Amino acid sequence: MKYAYYPGCSLEKTQRGYDQSVREIFKILGQELIEIEDWNCCGATMYMSVKETVSLAVSARNLAIAEKMGLDIVAPCSSCFTVLAKTNRILNQVPEMHQNVNEALSESGLSYSGKTRVRHPLDILVNDIGIESIIHKTKRSLNGLKVAPYYGCQIVRPEKGFDDRENPVLMDKLFNKCGAEIVYYPMKVRCCGGMLMTTFEDTALKLNKELLECAQKHQADIIVTTCPLCHMNLEGYQDRINEIYNTKFNMPILYFTQLLGIVLGLPESSLGLDSSFIPMPQKLKSIMEVQYV
Amino acid sequence: MDNLNFQSAGYMSKKEVELRRIFLEQVNYIPAGERIKRCIQCGTCTGSCPVSYAMDISPRQLIALFRAGEMETIMKSRTIWICASCYACTTRCPSGIKITDIIYALKRTAMEKNYISQANQVQILANLFVNNLMKYGRLHEGTLIRNYYLKTSLWKLFKLIPLAKKLYQTKRLSLFPKRINAYHSLSKIIKKAQEIDLRITAPPLEYSPEYVGYRTLGEMKLEQRKGE
Ligand code: SF4
Ligand code: SF4
Ligand code: SF4
Ligand code: SF4
């Protein structure tokens, strides 16, 4: 299958590990990603603007270009994914809004009929490609690795989407089949605070401390994530959490696509694993040394 | 009678009427927004909220206050700014109320009416975000964060140096923002959308300003619950 790829602002540089690993695993699984030419920011925070046409039009520009390409969008960032999907829903449910947005889009010769589907890579991997055909291509087993799957809050909400809203299981199933042990992780959809790390730092630090604590308590070796913002909060602020709460967290955080890339036998460098702040656990390093064809 | 400076039950100040008008206009844009009428004050939203402990008014209380004709208290609250938009409340509300979107509507109302909240750093960040997007078409995180802390706390900016260093070492720090090529066509879209926003005044939900409480929204229709 071919998809219109929407990396989003964080994946361009700050979270290049996610970008690289998404591209690599799609390639090795025979899927084609074509980056949306000149995509613009989906305008997440613009939903706070006084009236909505601006924020809807900004994100709809991307939907319109993808529609022209005749492809569905793949958006790995949970935030972009939620915003683009929400725009889609509003345009399909509120005709006046749809009309207004099209009026704005026509200024640059675009129009959007509402057909583009917005997909998350996890959904495509598990529900379209299927765990069985992925397993077919694996080169390594995650045997002995204990994984805490963290979905974050946006990927399965607010509307019923591709996985359960309270207890999503797609990553659990996927990595379980890859040989990993999925630890009990009741905080899998508990919010990390997102942008609160900037605006209400204390509150966000506490939320992230709880997420790390829960993973540690259940003896996870790593946490896997699906969203650049959660990733940044859990990884980039671990030092600060240790400083404030007097803890000693040293929890490696990997994107689920990086972990899957390892299983598929891809080399460390092509998965952007060199960009992690916290080194991989020994168990995972040993797994990477094995290569059975 | 007009000179009475106390408010009797069932009477709303002009300010309150105006705030309700703007808010209800916003609610009207939310698909199934009218479900706000059906709150049963069960508190599931508050119980599900990961940050309710840090709020001054709980999500359940927001709806109670709205019904009671206390919009101004809501406008001045910390709650609407600290909400992380995680949708936990919306997912669990037994009445299908889109609380997260309602809180967005409250934020917009507060911004339109210039309520400077206790926690106005959220507005600072939102404004910088919008400027950044308007200027480049994409968000440049480095610029956004730097400008934000320049406005709010130099000390915190200073404390971010170790993180910036790590990003640099792992080749994840981009120093300069870059404009997208289609920048001009994006600006045209935004400009037009702004014009449209100015001319929109959606008909507000039906309500009777002379009443507070459950009757503010007129008779409740028991329409079928669609979707979901
Ligand atoms: S959600 Fe964030 S990363 Fe995604 S496009 Fe919007 S601003 Fe950029
Ligand atoms: S968990 Fe945090 S970063 Fe992830 S989607 Fe939710 S708010 Fe955003
Ligand atoms: S969960 Fe829904 S019904 Fe219950 S108090 Fe909150 S908004 Fe009202
Ligand atoms: S969306 Fe806001 S109010 Fe609702 S649970 Fe999340 S943080 Fe709390």
Side-chain angles (χ1 to χ4, degrees):
Chain A
M1 275 288 277
K2 260 197 213 172
Y3 298 95
Y5 183 49
Y6 182 82
C9 317
S10 312
L11 268 67
E12 272 201 293
K13 188 89 181 179
T14 332
Q15 303 294 341
R16 66 179 171 88
Y18 199 11
D19 182 54
Q20 280 170 287
S21 54
V22 168
R23 290 181 195 261
E24 288 296 321
I25 60 169
F26 269 70
K27 203 187 318 167
I28 202 169
L29 293 171
Q31 312 292 314
E32 200 180 335
L33 292 181
I34 304 171
E35 187 167 333
I36 297 178
E37 200 189 332
D38 251 337
W39 54 269
N40 61 269
C41 172
C42 70
T45 314
M46 282 189 103
Y47 272 101
M48 303 223 324
S49 54
V50 173
K51 299 245 171 80
E52 273 193 318
T53 316
V54 176
S55 59
L56 289 170
V58 163
S59 64
R61 179 176 171 269
N62 302 300
L63 297 167
I65 300 176
E67 192 175 67
K68 228 161 99 183
M69 295 163 77
L71 302 173
D72 288 343
I73 289 185
V74 175
C77 164
S78 294
S79 219
C80 314
F81 170 74
T82 309
V83 170
L84 293 171
K86 184 169 169 179
T87 303
N88 235 354
R89 215 164 38 237
I90 295 179
L91 295 185
N92 281 313
Q93 288 177 5
V94 190
E96 310 93 82
M97 278 292 174
H98 194 165
Q99 207 181 330
N100 290 338
V101 164
N102 265 330
E103 189 182 335
L105 287 177
S106 68
E107 286 290 304
S108 71
L110 288 166
S111 75
Y112 180 54
S113 80
K115 283 205 208 78
T116 308
R117 285 206 301 163
V118 183
R119 312 282 310 269
H120 192 273
L122 180 60
D123 178 22
I124 293 173
L125 288 170
V126 180
N127 293 328
D128 292 8
I129 303 175
I131 296 181
E132 286 312 316
S133 22
I134 294 176
I135 294 300
H136 218 67
K137 295 204 165 118
T138 54
K139 295 234 159 60
R140 295 166 178 145
S141 157
L142 294 178
N143 234 322
L145 188 74
K146 294 185 177 176
V147 175
Y150 179 59
Y151 294 79
C153 59
Q154 311 246 318
I155 173 173
V156 287
R157 291 170 180 168
E159 303 291 313
K160 173 117 191 57
F162 62 85
D163 204 345
D164 192 82
R165 287 187 287 186
E166 296 281 1
N167 182 22
V169 290
L170 293 189
M171 278 202 281
D172 302 41
K173 281 189 188 158
L174 177 64
F175 291 122
N176 190 23
K177 277 278 169 137
C178 297
E181 181 186 328
I182 309 298
V183 304
Y184 175 61
Y185 196 52
M187 295 223 177
K188 53 163 73 161
V189 291
R190 164 75 117 72
C191 174
C192 76
M195 286 309 276
L196 293 188
M197 194 56 93
T198 310
T199 48
F200 290 89
E201 199 184 67
D202 299 347
T203 311
L205 286 172
K206 179 169 177 283
L207 294 175
N208 284 279
K209 180 202 121 203
E210 288 162 4
L211 293 174
L212 292 164
E213 213 166 48
C214 180
Q216 197 174 54
K217 188 172 139 211
H218 296 101
Q219 281 145 26
D221 296 316
I222 61 169
I223 297 179
V224 283
T225 60
T226 60
C227 165
L229 206 53
C230 327
H231 199 92
M232 184 48 123
N233 284 347
L234 286 168
E235 186 193 44
Y237 286 86
Q238 246 182 71
D239 288 348
R240 184 73 66 80
I241 292 169
N242 284 336
E243 196 182 297
I244 288 176
Y245 289 98
N246 222 340
T247 46
K248 291 200 180 63
F249 294 119
N250 190 32
M251 180 67 73
I253 316 288
L254 265 74
Y255 284 108
F256 79 102
T257 42
Q258 289 178 314
L259 188 60
L260 187 61
I262 294 176
V263 188
L264 290 168
L266 293 163
E268 196 174 330
S269 56
S270 73
L271 296 171
L273 284 161
D274 56 327
S275 68
S276 305
F277 291 169
I278 299 160
M280 284 189 284
Q282 196 47 50
K283 272 191 209 167
L284 198 52
K285 280 187 188 150
S286 325
I287 289 172
M288 289 196 72
E289 276 156 24
V290 191
Q291 180 89 255
Y292 29 93
V293 190
Chain B
M1 274 298 273
D2 282 336
N3 302 332
L4 283 184
N5 58 358
F6 63 87
Q7 288 173 23
S8 52
Y11 177 87
M12 267 189 229
S13 68
K14 271 213 181 101
K15 204 192 259 165
E16 178 68 22
V17 172
E18 173 68 357
L19 285 171
R20 290 178 92 78
R21 187 188 62 76
I22 296 168
F23 171 63
L24 290 173
E25 192 184 307
Q26 296 282 353
V27 170
N28 218 21
Y29 293 133
I30 306 172
E34 78 284 351
R35 284 186 197 158
I36 191 176
K37 295 177 194 174
R38 295 209 207 112
C39 175
I40 53 170
Q41 290 289 299
C42 65
T44 305
C45 45
T46 306
S48 308
C49 176
V51 293
S52 58
Y53 78 92
M55 290 174 168
D56 47 1
I57 295 170
S58 74
R60 176 193 63 78
Q61 284 172 323
L62 284 181
I63 299 194
L65 284 167
F66 157 69
R67 280 181 175 170
E70 282 287 341
M71 286 295 287
E72 202 169 10
T73 313
I74 300 176
M75 295 293 105
K76 290 177 179 162
S77 75
R78 173 182 160 97
T79 298
I80 54 176
W81 305 108
I82 204 172
C83 166
S85 312
C86 74
Y87 295 101
C89 50
T90 303
T91 307
R92 291 187 184 159
C93 173
S95 304
I97 297 168
K98 315 248 171 144
I99 304 143
T100 316
D101 291 327
I102 298 227
I103 294 177
Y104 269 122
L106 289 166
K107 280 183 209 177
R108 293 197 203 105
T109 310
M111 280 168 126
E112 187 165 332
K113 279 295 172 192
N114 286 321
Y115 276 88
I116 306 296
S117 70
Q118 307 159 27
N120 117 308
Q121 70 263 32
V122 178
Q123 291 186 40
I124 296 176
L125 188 71
N127 290 339
L128 289 171
F129 182 104
V130 173
N131 292 346
N132 200 298
L133 199 157
M134 299 276 197
K135 219 157 144 194
Y136 306 110
R138 283 183 198 167
L139 176 71
H140 185 257
E141 293 160 311
T143 312
L144 177 70
I145 298 295
R146 190 195 60 223
N147 289 347
Y148 172 79
Y149 285 120
L150 282 177
K151 279 201 173 190
T152 53
S153 160
L154 285 176
W155 170 238
K156 285 193 175 160
L157 184 63
F158 175 75
K159 287 216 293 195
L160 276 180
I161 292 174
L163 180 59
K165 211 171 126 196
K166 278 192 177 176
L167 287 170
Y168 178 75
Q169 283 163 349
T170 50
K171 302 201 186 67
R172 286 161 60 177
L173 192 68
S174 107
L175 290 172
F176 304 104
K178 212 175 67 209
R179 224 174 223 189
I180 62 168
N181 293 330
Y183 169 74
H184 288 290
S185 63
L186 178 66
S187 322
K188 275 193 225 153
I189 296 176
I190 294 177
K191 203 168 145 249
K192 187 73 192 179
Q194 281 167 335
E195 284 168 31
I196 296 172
D197 271 343
L198 287 178
R199 78 173 187 233
I200 293 180
T201 28
L205 284 181
E206 230 179 89
Y207 74 103
S208 336
E210 62 270 29
Y211 295 115
V212 292
Y214 285 81
R215 293 169 69 188
T216 10
L217 289 166
E219 288 305 308
M220 217 191 297
K221 275 192 234 109
L222 285 176
E223 70 268 51
Q224 205 101 52
R225 207 167 136 175
K226 286 168 267 172
E228 295 186 10

